Amino acid sequence: MYTSVLLNVESTILDFWRLLKPRIMYLVVFTAVAGMVTAPVSILFYVFVYTIWLKRRTPQNIVIGGAAGAFPPMIGWAAVTNSVSWESFILFLLKMSKKEVIIYTDGACSGNPGAGGWAAIILFQDYRKDIYGREENTTNNKMELTAVINGLKALKFSCNINLYTDSLYIKHGITEWINKWKVNGWKTSNKKSVKNMELWKELDNVASQHEIDWKWVKAHSGNKYNEEADSLARKAIIDA
C-alpha cells in the first residue's frame, strides 16, 4: 500500500511538471540565453575569484574557475536546445531520494519436490532484518522465487536495491527471459506455459516498484550473507 502511494506521488510530480513546463520555459530560455551571452564574463569572473582574490595562482585553480564559470551557461544551453530530458532529470532526482538497500535471498528444498524453505536478509545502513518461511510439497525454484518476492514485499517504500541471488534461474529469468515470456503471452519458445507463472507474475509486479540491480553470487563460495541466507532457508525447513 505504501509503495503504491509513493508511486502515485511520483506520477503526480511528473504530471505537475508537464503542466508547468510550457509556462516556465520562457523564463528558462531567457535565463539560458543571458547565461550564454555572458559566458566569457562569467568565466573570467570565476577565474579572477579563484586566482586573484583568493591569491591561489595555480593552473588547477584556473581550470576550476573556468569550469565554475562555464557551468551555468552549459545548463542554459541544454535548456535552449532541449538536449536534456527534464522528465528524466526529475526521475533522476526522485531516484536519488530513494533509500539504498541490499537484499540477499536463497531458497532450499529437502527433496525436489519436498519440504522447502526460503529466506531473505535485508540490509539498510546499520539495520538488518531477516525473514524466512517454509512450504510443504514445493520445489527449489519456487522457494528461490518466494524468497525474492517476500524480500521485496518487506520494503514499505520504493528503494534502490542491490539484490543478490545464487540462482541463475532467478537472475536470467528476471533480466532476460521474462520480457520474452510476456510478449509471447507467458509461453516459452516451445509454446508451453511458463513454469511457476503466477510467482513470476508476482515477482514482476513487486520488482517494478523499485530500482533493482540484480546480482548473481556463487553459492557456498564464502560470501557471508549468502551463506547466512542459505542457513536460514534450511533452518526454516527444520523448524516445522
Side-chain angles (χ1 to χ4, degrees):
M1 179 182 71
Y2 295 106
T3 303
S4 177
V5 170
L6 186 63
L7 292 174
N8 289 335
V9 169
E10 292 182 2
S11 177
T12 302
I13 291 173
L14 287 175
D15 290 341
F16 183 66
W17 164 252
R18 294 188 184 102
L19 180 66
L20 282 182
K21 183 178 178 181
R23 293 169 174 76
I24 67 173
M25 191 52 64
Y26 293 111
L27 179 61
V28 172
V29 170
F30 174 79
T31 305
V33 172
M36 287 184 289
V37 170
T38 60
V41 175
S42 180
I43 292 172
L44 289 174
F45 172 74
Y46 276 89
V47 170
F48 169 79
V49 169
Y50 276 85
T51 61
I52 305 299
W53 187 30
L54 296 179
K55 296 180 181 179
R56 295 174 181 171
R57 300 178 182 85
T58 64
Q60 292 92 334
N61 280 333
I62 293 174
V63 171
I64 293 171
F71 185 71
M74 287 167 60
I75 297 299
W77 175 254
V80 171
T81 61
N82 201 28
S83 59
V84 170
S85 168
W86 295 103
E87 287 83 0
S88 297
F89 180 65
I90 291 174
L91 284 173
F92 170 76
L93 293 178
L94 290 170
K95 179 180 177 181
M96 291 298 290
S97 66
K98 294 178 181 177
K99 293 179 172 61
E100 299 288 337
V101 176
I102 297 173
I103 300 178
Y104 282 82
T105 67
D106 203 7
C109 208
S110 180
N112 198 19
W118 59 267
I121 298 174
I122 303 167
L123 305 170
F124 172 65
Q125 296 179 355
D126 295 329
Y127 173 82
R128 168 174 171 165
K129 181 176 183 179
D130 297 344
I131 58 174
Y132 53 93
R134 75 186 305 275
E135 290 184 14
E136 298 292 341
N137 193 30
T138 187
T139 66
N140 191 75
N141 284 341
K142 285 183 178 180
M143 291 296 89
E144 295 283 1
L145 282 163
T146 302
V148 179
I149 291 168
N150 286 326
L152 294 175
K153 279 186 171 182
L155 303 175
K156 302 304 181 184
F157 300 97
S158 183
C159 300
N160 296 325
I161 304 168
N162 285 318
L163 194 147
Y164 293 84
T165 174
D166 60 15
S167 169
L168 288 175
Y169 176 68
I170 296 293
K171 176 66 163 58
H172 292 323
I174 196 64
T175 61
E176 300 175 25
W177 305 336
I178 197 168
N179 294 323
K180 297 176 183 177
W181 291 339
K182 290 194 287 186
V183 170
N184 295 330
W186 291 96
K187 301 287 186 181
T188 66
S189 58
N190 295 328
K191 307 301 181 182
K192 295 181 180 180
S193 295
V194 172
K195 291 182 179 180
N196 306 317
M197 178 173 32
E198 294 307 315
L199 287 173
W200 278 113
K201 286 182 178 180
E202 187 174 7
L203 176 56
D204 185 42
N205 179 52
V206 294
S208 69
Q209 299 165 14
H210 304 277
E211 295 287 337
I212 304 176
D213 188 2
W214 299 91
K215 297 177 181 291
W216 178 77
V217 58
K218 186 177 180 180
H220 310 297
S221 60
N223 183 291
K224 175 184 176 182
Y225 295 113
N226 173 254
E227 299 284 359
E228 291 181 3
D230 176 71
S231 295
L232 286 171
R234 295 186 183 281
K235 181 177 183 292
I237 298 174
I238 300 171
D239 293 347

